[in-house]
Amino acid sequence: MGLVTEYVLAELRLFRTEQRLSQEDFGRKIGYSGSHVSSVETSQRPPTDEYVQKIDDAFQTGGMFSRMLGKLAKLDSTPAWLRDWIEFERLARLLRWYEPAFIPGLLQTESYARATMAGMHLTPAQIDQRAQSRLERQTVLTADDPAQFVFVIDAMVLRRPVRGEPGVMAQQLQHLATVAELPHVQLLVVPKEVGLYPGIVLVRDTKDRDGGTLSFTPAHWRAFVHLARQQQPPTA
């Protein structure tokens, strides 16, 4: 289990002890055996939606644990380095993204997103979680006051087929054409005739609401971010 789920389990254990209930008594109140409660609290069983819902119902928490599990558990499927970037995506006023290998995540269809996870030794549930998380990030494109987006994609990304699924790339290209019609989205393609050119490395940067600039690039297989705020000269 991930760290976030472990946090939820710690909160469940604390809640039970605050109720001054043994695992057996707690289990009887929610319709589970004491051994089941023990196995959940010791991470031998996952805290299922049904399990936490019964806790919420029995103790009239207003759905607290169900919301906690539903919202926080998504973080377990998101790499730690990406969590900060997702927040910057949400706050950005200008986002520029260069991509030499894949369609940018904000522009991916669900089928394409799932295809990028093939061969990653993920369970079906993990793939579902990651694909859903990626699609939810795309709401920044249709927000009421959206940022300006500039996507630069290497032409080979558009020509690279999805093995065994010819319809996936056709659907993806149609989706790109649709998104490119949005007034705040600019989609640029580097043609193959350019050949080798400087900058063949994934780069993303944003400008936030305060004028800061954040750049992101993987180097030596490690991701890092740098935030440099623009210093404005004092005014008289």
Side-chain angles (χ1 to χ4, degrees):
M1 295 184 186
L3 292 176
V4 172
T5 304
E6 289 292 341
Y7 168 77
V8 175
L9 293 182
E11 290 298 307
L12 289 173
R13 286 192 293 269
L14 177 62
F15 179 77
R16 178 181 60 78
T17 57
E18 287 177 342
Q19 302 299 312
R20 300 182 182 276
L21 293 172
S22 67
Q23 292 176 339
E24 286 291 341
D25 291 337
F26 189 78
R28 278 193 288 269
K29 288 187 71 69
I30 64 174
Y32 284 88
S33 66
S35 61
H36 189 107
V37 173
S38 175
S39 63
V40 170
E41 292 186 352
T42 56
S43 302
Q44 297 177 43
R45 290 174 181 263
T48 63
D49 292 341
E50 181 183 6
Y51 182 85
V52 295
Q53 182 63 58
K54 287 193 174 183
I55 294 174
D56 286 333
D57 292 344
F59 293 94
Q60 299 181 341
T61 67
M64 177 180 67
F65 288 114
S66 293
R67 290 194 303 273
M68 182 185 298
L69 182 66
K71 292 182 178 180
L72 295 184
K74 292 179 182 179
L75 295 178
D76 272 344
S77 64
T78 304
W81 60 264
L82 184 57
R83 296 172 194 168
D84 285 342
W85 175 258
I86 291 174
E87 182 63 13
F88 284 121
E89 280 181 343
R90 189 180 67 82
L91 298 175
R93 300 309 303 149
L94 168 64
L95 186 146
R96 293 178 295 215
W97 188 326
Y98 168 70
E99 180 59 73
F102 296 98
I103 301 295
L106 293 183
L107 303 178
Q108 292 179 7
T109 63
E110 181 176 355
S111 296
Y112 184 93
R114 289 177 177 276
T116 65
M117 301 175 203
M120 292 179 66
H121 305 292
L122 299 173
T123 66
Q126 288 173 322
I127 291 176
D128 288 343
Q129 260 190 338
R130 294 193 181 193
Q132 185 60 35
S133 176
R134 195 169 300 179
L135 294 178
E136 288 175 356
R137 287 167 53 199
Q138 297 176 7
T139 58
V140 297
L141 294 172
T142 54
D144 291 338
D145 182 22
Q148 295 294 312
F149 296 90
V150 181
F151 298 99
V152 182
I153 304 174
D154 191 281
M156 292 308 298
V157 174
L158 306 181
R159 295 173 179 271
R160 186 175 296 119
V162 176
R163 184 180 301 177
E165 300 183 71
V168 170
M169 202 60 202
Q171 181 188 45
Q172 178 63 71
L173 293 176
Q174 180 57 55
H175 180 65
L176 289 178
T178 300
V179 174
E181 294 179 356
L182 296 173
H184 55 282
V185 174
Q186 188 174 9
L187 182 58
L188 307 173
V189 177
V190 181
K192 67 175 183 178
E193 290 77 16
V194 171
L196 186 66
Y197 58 91
I200 300 187
V201 60
L202 181 150
V203 177
R204 312 172 193 173
D205 67 56
T206 74
K207 287 190 181 296
D208 65 19
R209 298 177 189 276
D210 298 321
T213 299
L214 176 140
S215 297
F216 165 85
T217 179
H220 307 296
W221 297 101
R222 303 175 70 180
F224 64 90
V225 295
H226 173 68
L227 183 62
R229 293 208 171 275
Q230 297 176 348
Q231 297 298 318
Q232 300 294 335
T235 58

